[in-house]
């Protein structure tokens, strides 16, 4: 549960994310929290099968994929498969989820843009059948 | 000179940076330019010996080091040696330079924070003796 840095981790893995917004085990290592930057940045690592619930960001979010493979899906669209080097642009208030597939862990940098517009809005969990259908 | 993606590159290398703000060869691949995010993000790659001139950012900048090794120095302070996984917080209007050492290339993500405060302010080049003294 403590901060750790595996050989394969590019940025510190941080600690397990508590609560019920994630299904499965995911880790968050905050890299930037200083208010002066107006740009919170975290390193998120999903174990295989882990993902978050449907949610949206009032100011948007950017994901920079650093290792493993995973998925990003916007409501009503096919899931996009992601691997290292991929960039995901999540526009403000677009409902989405992201997470690992079943056979790989998945790590991305998450940048909260326009943070003054407010925190992420959490919605319902991604159902198991939605997840399985999305990842194919 | 065209966009390329070497096996060792995490994000696209982009194109060689023109002009005289850099000494040696450095590459810039812009990852985010969309105005909606208020968060320009670029991938910068320095060949060995390459570095930029003294400069400062009115709104600050964040560097996330992805490969190789290099240096970051603020005016009047010792240079800090950087390698993968390092995070550099550059406060607004702090004069600094960054770049590779002589024996390794160096890549970092560069995030411009508070971009509404204006573009980077370029100052004088880092003299060769300053560079050699800084990297030790």
């Amino acid at each position: 549960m403590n901060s750790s840095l595996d050989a394969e981790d590019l940025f510190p893995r941080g600690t397990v994310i508590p609560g019920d917004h994630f299904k499965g085990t995911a880790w968050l290592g905050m890299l930037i929290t200083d208010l002066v930057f107006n740009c919170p940045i975290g390193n998120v690592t999903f174990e295989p099968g882990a993902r978050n619930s449907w949610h949206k960001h009032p100011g948007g979010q950017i994901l920079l994929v650093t290792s493993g493979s995973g998925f990003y899906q916007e409501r009503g669209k096919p899931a996009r498969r992601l691997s290292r080097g991929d960039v995901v642009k999540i526009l403000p208030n677009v409902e989405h989820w992201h997470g690992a597939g079943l056979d790989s862990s998945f790590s991305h940098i998450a940048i909260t843009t326009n943070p003054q517009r407010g925190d992420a809005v959490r919605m319902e969990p991604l159902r198991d059948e939605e997840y399985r259908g999305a990842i194919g």
Side-chain angles (χ1 to χ4, degrees), chain A:
Chain A
M1 294 286 288
N2 289 324
S3 186
S4 66
L5 185 60
D6 289 355
E8 67 186 50
D9 290 331
L10 177 54
F11 296 103
R13 181 169 288 209
T15 55
V16 169
I17 299 171
D20 59 3
H21 181 55
F22 284 68
K23 176 156 187 177
T25 300
W27 304 66
L28 173 63
M30 286 306 296
L31 304 180
I32 297 288
T33 57
D34 316 64
L35 293 178
V36 63
F37 293 116
N38 288 306
C39 187
I41 302 177
N43 179 38
V44 186
T45 303
F46 300 86
E47 293 189 354
R51 72 269 188 178
N52 49 32
S53 297
W54 289 104
H55 64 287
K56 59 185 178 181
H57 305 273
Q61 187 183 53
I62 295 162
L63 308 181
L64 306 177
V65 180
T66 54
S67 71
S69 67
F71 293 87
Y72 167 73
Q73 185 178 28
E74 297 182 354
R75 185 93 72 180
K77 296 183 181 179
R80 174 182 167 196
R81 188 174 189 102
L82 300 171
S83 58
R84 69 192 297 275
D86 282 333
V87 175
V88 181
K89 303 175 185 182
I90 307 173
L91 290 171
N93 294 313
V94 169
E95 298 179 12
H96 66 280
W97 66 269
H98 33 120
L102 290 171
D103 55 357
S104 172
S105 61
F106 175 55
S107 295
H108 64 62
I109 297 294
I111 301 169
T112 299
T113 53
N114 305 298
Q116 74 282 4
R117 296 190 194 161
D119 293 334
V121 177
R122 299 175 179 190
M123 289 170 284
E124 79 281 10
L126 184 73
R127 289 177 290 109
D128 286 346
E129 55 268 34
E130 284 183 296
Y131 174 69
R132 287 194 299 269
I135 69 176

